[in-house]
Amino acid sequence: MMMMMNESDQEELIEKLEIFKIKGRDKQGRKLLRIIGKYFPARIVSVEAVKKYLEERIYPRLSKKPFAVLYVHTEVDKTDNFGGISALRSIYDSIPINVRDNLHAVYFLHPCLQSRLFLATFGRFLFSGGLYGKLRYINRLDYLWEHVRRHEMEVPLPEFVYDHDEDLEYRPMMDYGLESDHRRRVYGAPTMDSPESMSMRCLT
């Protein structure tokens, strides 16, 4: 059985992993809150620790001026990186009103088919204040640079984001969840996902 760390240690882990980082600006000059979904350790970090971390270290820096979010969904795993719908709603509800009002856009990089279906079905019910309407799906990095200042964002993005984007260039069906995003299976041959694996691979 996995032991849960105390809240203070969980906050330090969130900081060390750089899941949330204010870095760069979009083309409108707004600060960017970059979120790396793959880095989020949902199995060992509690909702309360996340909310406290954001309240103490992130929200104060976003409370006075407009900003945007860059959420990187690349290689997110539902089991390891998604804490559940109730956790997502709880974190969203804890965002201070002034911070919510300052949020002007959410750039969602590398969405999978399941994430699109999930948000299309539940997004309007989960997120109040028009957040769903601020969502912008970004399939490729080339499209991201149309919205954010490239020279300020290239370094903060992990290498696996570029690797995945390169895979999409040669295997475009991955965009629609019709081909596995696992780069190598047996002898490096590409395989097709079964319906079961497609439905469970990612959800957020």
Side-chain angles (χ1 to χ4, degrees):
M1 182 176 179
M2 186 177 297
M3 293 185 63
M4 183 69 73
M5 298 182 291
N6 63 52
E7 194 169 272
S8 177
D9 288 342
Q10 291 178 51
E11 290 181 55
E12 290 307 312
L13 177 61
I14 294 171
E15 177 73 13
K16 181 179 180 181
L17 293 175
E18 296 189 335
I19 303 164
F20 305 96
K21 190 176 183 66
I22 298 174
K23 178 70 176 179
R25 294 180 183 272
D26 67 7
K27 289 292 182 70
Q28 284 69 45
R30 300 177 293 225
K31 283 184 178 180
L32 280 175
L33 169 59
R34 187 212 65 184
I35 304 173
I36 306 293
K38 183 181 178 180
Y39 288 170
F40 185 71
R43 292 184 175 186
I44 59 176
V45 171
S46 70
V47 173
E48 293 306 314
V50 175
K51 291 196 292 188
K52 187 176 179 183
Y53 176 87
L54 293 172
E55 179 182 348
E56 293 178 352
R57 309 195 194 194
I58 300 297
Y59 295 151
R61 301 173 59 190
L62 301 173
S63 61
K64 296 181 180 180
K65 293 183 179 181
F67 72 99
V69 167
L70 170 59
Y71 170 65
V72 181
H73 191 66
T74 317
E75 296 187 4
V76 163
D77 181 89
K78 175 179 179 289
T79 302
D80 294 331
N81 310 125
F82 182 51
I85 295 175
S86 60
L88 186 63
R89 181 57 191 263
S90 178
I91 292 170
Y92 177 75
D93 286 344
S94 70
I95 301 175
I97 294 297
N98 60 329
V99 175
R100 239 186 263 184
D101 290 343
N102 284 337
L103 175 57
H104 283 241
V106 178
Y107 305 116
F108 193 121
L109 180 63
H110 291 155
C112 63
L113 176 64
Q114 288 73 34
S115 64
R116 289 175 180 267
L117 293 174
F118 172 78
L119 289 171
T121 305
F122 300 107
R124 291 179 178 85
F125 302 101
L126 277 175
F127 307 120
S128 58
L131 177 63
Y132 183 76
K134 300 174 183 178
L135 189 62
R136 304 289 183 268
Y137 290 117
I138 309 292
N139 291 331
R140 307 289 174 86
L141 284 171
D142 281 345
Y143 303 144
L144 178 65
W145 308 139
E146 296 175 6
H147 298 278
V148 308
R149 297 178 181 176
R150 180 171 183 168
H151 68 282
E152 296 183 9
M153 282 306 303
E154 283 189 294
V155 174
L157 290 177
E159 188 65 30
F160 67 82
V161 176
Y162 296 95
D163 291 341
H164 181 78
D165 205 72
E166 185 177 350
D167 282 347
L168 290 177
E169 290 295 324
Y170 296 99
R171 298 160 64 187
M173 298 306 287
M174 285 170 58
D175 266 346
Y176 304 98
L178 299 179
E179 187 178 350
S180 172
D181 57 1
H182 296 287
R183 304 190 68 193
R184 298 183 185 276
R185 292 287 180 91
V186 180
Y187 303 111
T191 61
M192 297 294 288
D193 281 341
S194 67
E196 292 81 10
S197 64
M198 283 173 59
S199 63
M200 295 301 293
R201 188 176 65 225
C202 61
L203 182 58
T204 59

PDB file of all heavy atoms in Angstrom, residues 14 23-24 26 41 46 49 61 64 72 84 95 136 139 155 184-185 199:
ATOM      1  N   ILE A  14       5.378  19.070  -5.622  1.00  0.00           N
ATOM      2  CA  ILE A  14       4.752  19.827  -6.715  1.00  0.00           C
ATOM      3  C   ILE A  14       5.704  20.901  -7.230  1.00  0.00           C
ATOM      4  O   ILE A  14       5.851  21.102  -8.437  1.00  0.00           O
ATOM      5  CB  ILE A  14       3.433  20.461  -6.230  1.00  0.00           C
ATOM      6  CG1 ILE A  14       2.404  19.373  -5.910  1.00  0.00           C
ATOM      7  CG2 ILE A  14       2.873  21.422  -7.283  1.00  0.00           C
ATOM      8  CD1 ILE A  14       1.157  19.892  -5.222  1.00  0.00           C
ATOM      9  N   LYS A  23       5.521  31.253 -16.871  1.00  0.00           N
ATOM     10  CA  LYS A  23       6.651  31.462 -17.756  1.00  0.00           C
ATOM     11  C   LYS A  23       6.161  31.891 -19.133  1.00  0.00           C
ATOM     12  O   LYS A  23       5.298  31.245 -19.719  1.00  0.00           O
ATOM     13  CB  LYS A  23       7.476  30.167 -17.886  1.00  0.00           C
ATOM     14  CG  LYS A  23       8.662  30.256 -18.824  1.00  0.00           C
ATOM     15  CD  LYS A  23       9.765  31.144 -18.276  1.00  0.00           C
ATOM     16  CE  LYS A  23      10.979  31.149 -19.172  1.00  0.00           C
ATOM     17  NZ  LYS A  23      12.060  32.026 -18.657  1.00  0.00           N
ATOM     18  N   GLY A  24       6.719  32.962 -19.668  1.00  0.00           N
ATOM     19  CA  GLY A  24       6.393  33.399 -21.010  1.00  0.00           C
ATOM     20  C   GLY A  24       5.096  34.190 -21.080  1.00  0.00           C
ATOM     21  O   GLY A  24       4.417  34.419 -20.083  1.00  0.00           O
ATOM     22  N   ASP A  26       1.627  35.140 -24.008  1.00  0.00           N
ATOM     23  CA  ASP A  26       0.996  34.852 -25.291  1.00  0.00           C
ATOM     24  C   ASP A  26       1.123  36.069 -26.203  1.00  0.00           C
ATOM     25  O   ASP A  26       1.748  37.073 -25.832  1.00  0.00           O
ATOM     26  CB  ASP A  26      -0.459  34.398 -25.099  1.00  0.00           C
ATOM     27  CG  ASP A  26      -1.377  35.486 -24.567  1.00  0.00           C
ATOM     28  OD1 ASP A  26      -0.952  36.658 -24.455  1.00  0.00           O
ATOM     29  OD2 ASP A  26      -2.544  35.172 -24.269  1.00  0.00           O
ATOM     30  N   PRO A  41       1.501  13.884 -10.130  1.00  0.00           N
ATOM     31  CA  PRO A  41       1.461  12.559  -9.498  1.00  0.00           C
ATOM     32  C   PRO A  41       0.157  12.344  -8.731  1.00  0.00           C
ATOM     33  O   PRO A  41       0.097  12.438  -7.499  1.00  0.00           O
ATOM     34  CB  PRO A  41       2.670  12.596  -8.561  1.00  0.00           C
ATOM     35  CG  PRO A  41       2.762  14.046  -8.148  1.00  0.00           C
ATOM     36  CD  PRO A  41       2.237  14.857  -9.302  1.00  0.00           C
ATOM     37  N   SER A  46      -2.539  14.960  -2.740  1.00  0.00           N
ATOM     38  CA  SER A  46      -3.951  15.170  -2.440  1.00  0.00           C
ATOM     39  C   SER A  46      -4.468  16.459  -3.064  1.00  0.00           C
ATOM     40  O   SER A  46      -3.700  17.374  -3.395  1.00  0.00           O
ATOM     41  CB  SER A  46      -4.157  15.228  -0.924  1.00  0.00           C
ATOM     42  OG  SER A  46      -3.590  16.419  -0.389  1.00  0.00           O
ATOM     43  N   ALA A  49      -3.519  19.485  -0.934  1.00  0.00           N
ATOM     44  CA  ALA A  49      -2.139  19.947  -1.110  1.00  0.00           C
ATOM     45  C   ALA A  49      -2.019  20.786  -2.375  1.00  0.00           C
ATOM     46  O   ALA A  49      -1.324  21.809  -2.388  1.00  0.00           O
ATOM     47  CB  ALA A  49      -1.188  18.758  -1.166  1.00  0.00           C
ATOM     48  N   ARG A  61       0.358  35.707  -7.837  1.00  0.00           N
ATOM     49  CA  ARG A  61       1.078  36.271  -8.990  1.00  0.00           C
ATOM     50  C   ARG A  61       0.162  36.479 -10.199  1.00  0.00           C
ATOM     51  O   ARG A  61       0.594  37.012 -11.217  1.00  0.00           O
ATOM     52  CB  ARG A  61       2.238  35.359  -9.367  1.00  0.00           C
ATOM     53  CG  ARG A  61       3.243  35.165  -8.226  1.00  0.00           C
ATOM     54  CD  ARG A  61       4.291  34.119  -8.573  1.00  0.00           C
ATOM     55  NE  ARG A  61       5.048  34.471  -9.770  1.00  0.00           N
ATOM     56  CZ  ARG A  61       5.887  33.642 -10.386  1.00  0.00           C
ATOM     57  NH1 ARG A  61       6.056  32.401  -9.919  1.00  0.00           N
ATOM     58  NH2 ARG A  61       6.544  34.029 -11.465  1.00  0.00           N
ATOM     59  N   LYS A  64      -3.752  40.252 -10.404  1.00  0.00           N
ATOM     60  CA  LYS A  64      -3.903  41.668 -10.750  1.00  0.00           C
ATOM     61  C   LYS A  64      -4.028  41.956 -12.237  1.00  0.00           C
ATOM     62  O   LYS A  64      -4.551  43.012 -12.607  1.00  0.00           O
ATOM     63  CB  LYS A  64      -2.721  42.458 -10.169  1.00  0.00           C
ATOM     64  CG  LYS A  64      -2.675  42.447  -8.653  1.00  0.00           C
ATOM     65  CD  LYS A  64      -1.506  43.272  -8.127  1.00  0.00           C
ATOM     66  CE  LYS A  64      -1.471  43.256  -6.603  1.00  0.00           C
ATOM     67  NZ  LYS A  64      -0.339  44.057  -6.063  1.00  0.00           N
ATOM     68  N   VAL A  72      -0.428  21.404 -21.044  1.00  0.00           N
ATOM     69  CA  VAL A  72       0.242  20.434 -21.908  1.00  0.00           C
ATOM     70  C   VAL A  72      -0.268  19.032 -21.560  1.00  0.00           C
ATOM     71  O   VAL A  72       0.035  18.490 -20.500  1.00  0.00           O
ATOM     72  CB  VAL A  72       1.776  20.524 -21.742  1.00  0.00           C
ATOM     73  CG1 VAL A  72       2.464  19.518 -22.658  1.00  0.00           C
ATOM     74  CG2 VAL A  72       2.262  21.940 -22.037  1.00  0.00           C
ATOM     75  N   GLY A  84      -9.434  12.544 -10.847  1.00  0.00           N
ATOM     76  CA  GLY A  84     -10.876  12.326 -10.870  1.00  0.00           C
ATOM     77  C   GLY A  84     -11.648  13.611 -11.104  1.00  0.00           C
ATOM     78  O   GLY A  84     -11.144  14.715 -10.908  1.00  0.00           O
ATOM     79  N   ILE A  95     -10.495  28.393  -6.957  1.00  0.00           N
ATOM     80  CA  ILE A  95      -9.797  29.524  -7.579  1.00  0.00           C
ATOM     81  C   ILE A  95     -10.483  30.824  -7.177  1.00  0.00           C
ATOM     82  O   ILE A  95     -11.690  30.962  -7.346  1.00  0.00           O
ATOM     83  CB  ILE A  95      -9.795  29.394  -9.119  1.00  0.00           C
ATOM     84  CG1 ILE A  95      -9.126  28.098  -9.546  1.00  0.00           C
ATOM     85  CG2 ILE A  95      -9.090  30.597  -9.751  1.00  0.00           C
ATOM     86  CD1 ILE A  95      -9.197  27.840 -11.047  1.00  0.00           C
ATOM     87  N   ARG A 136      -9.037  26.577 -26.041  1.00  0.00           N
ATOM     88  CA  ARG A 136      -8.543  26.535 -27.411  1.00  0.00           C
ATOM     89  C   ARG A 136      -7.720  25.264 -27.601  1.00  0.00           C
ATOM     90  O   ARG A 136      -6.644  25.129 -27.022  1.00  0.00           O
ATOM     91  CB  ARG A 136      -7.667  27.765 -27.710  1.00  0.00           C
ATOM     92  CG  ARG A 136      -8.356  29.094 -27.461  1.00  0.00           C
ATOM     93  CD  ARG A 136      -9.430  29.393 -28.498  1.00  0.00           C
ATOM     94  NE  ARG A 136     -10.038  30.693 -28.280  1.00  0.00           N
ATOM     95  CZ  ARG A 136     -11.126  30.894 -27.547  1.00  0.00           C
ATOM     96  NH1 ARG A 136     -11.722  29.858 -26.952  1.00  0.00           N
ATOM     97  NH2 ARG A 136     -11.631  32.103 -27.398  1.00  0.00           N
ATOM     98  N   ASN A 139      -3.476  21.310 -31.649  1.00  0.00           N
ATOM     99  CA  ASN A 139      -3.035  19.959 -32.004  1.00  0.00           C
ATOM    100  C   ASN A 139      -1.529  19.828 -32.179  1.00  0.00           C
ATOM    101  O   ASN A 139      -0.965  18.773 -31.891  1.00  0.00           O
ATOM    102  CB  ASN A 139      -3.719  19.513 -33.302  1.00  0.00           C
ATOM    103  CG  ASN A 139      -5.209  19.281 -33.122  1.00  0.00           C
ATOM    104  OD1 ASN A 139      -5.657  18.931 -32.042  1.00  0.00           O
ATOM    105  ND2 ASN A 139      -5.964  19.491 -34.186  1.00  0.00           N
ATOM    106  N   VAL A 155      12.166  26.700 -24.434  1.00  0.00           N
ATOM    107  CA  VAL A 155      12.990  26.071 -23.397  1.00  0.00           C
ATOM    108  C   VAL A 155      12.146  25.436 -22.299  1.00  0.00           C
ATOM    109  O   VAL A 155      12.419  24.308 -21.880  1.00  0.00           O
ATOM    110  CB  VAL A 155      13.984  27.093 -22.794  1.00  0.00           C
ATOM    111  CG1 VAL A 155      14.724  26.481 -21.631  1.00  0.00           C
ATOM    112  CG2 VAL A 155      14.971  27.556 -23.865  1.00  0.00           C
ATOM    113  N   ARG A 184       6.990   2.612 -29.165  1.00  0.00           N
ATOM    114  CA  ARG A 184       7.521   1.319 -29.595  1.00  0.00           C
ATOM    115  C   ARG A 184       6.824   0.226 -28.793  1.00  0.00           C
ATOM    116  O   ARG A 184       6.727   0.289 -27.591  1.00  0.00           O
ATOM    117  CB  ARG A 184       9.038   1.225 -29.353  1.00  0.00           C
ATOM    118  CG  ARG A 184       9.831   2.260 -30.136  1.00  0.00           C
ATOM    119  CD  ARG A 184      11.324   2.084 -29.915  1.00  0.00           C
ATOM    120  NE  ARG A 184      12.067   3.139 -30.564  1.00  0.00           N
ATOM    121  CZ  ARG A 184      12.404   3.124 -31.840  1.00  0.00           C
ATOM    122  NH1 ARG A 184      12.042   2.125 -32.600  1.00  0.00           N
ATOM    123  NH2 ARG A 184      13.089   4.128 -32.362  1.00  0.00           N
ATOM    124  N   ARG A 185       6.348  -0.796 -29.507  1.00  0.00           N
ATOM    125  CA  ARG A 185       5.758  -1.945 -28.833  1.00  0.00           C
ATOM    126  C   ARG A 185       6.652  -3.161 -29.111  1.00  0.00           C
ATOM    127  O   ARG A 185       7.694  -3.331 -28.512  1.00  0.00           O
ATOM    128  CB  ARG A 185       4.337  -2.178 -29.354  1.00  0.00           C
ATOM    129  CG  ARG A 185       3.350  -1.066 -28.965  1.00  0.00           C
ATOM    130  CD  ARG A 185       2.978  -1.132 -27.488  1.00  0.00           C
ATOM    131  NE  ARG A 185       2.036  -0.071 -27.138  1.00  0.00           N
ATOM    132  CZ  ARG A 185       0.705  -0.210 -27.184  1.00  0.00           C
ATOM    133  NH1 ARG A 185       0.169  -1.345 -27.571  1.00  0.00           N
ATOM    134  NH2 ARG A 185      -0.079   0.797 -26.828  1.00  0.00           N
ATOM    135  N   SER A 199     -10.462   3.791 -24.875  1.00  0.00           N
ATOM    136  CA  SER A 199     -11.406   4.464 -23.986  1.00  0.00           C
ATOM    137  C   SER A 199     -10.805   4.779 -22.636  1.00  0.00           C
ATOM    138  O   SER A 199     -11.273   5.663 -21.938  1.00  0.00           O
ATOM    139  CB  SER A 199     -12.645   3.565 -23.788  1.00  0.00           C
ATOM    140  OG  SER A 199     -12.273   2.365 -23.156  1.00  0.00           O
TER     141      SER A 199
END
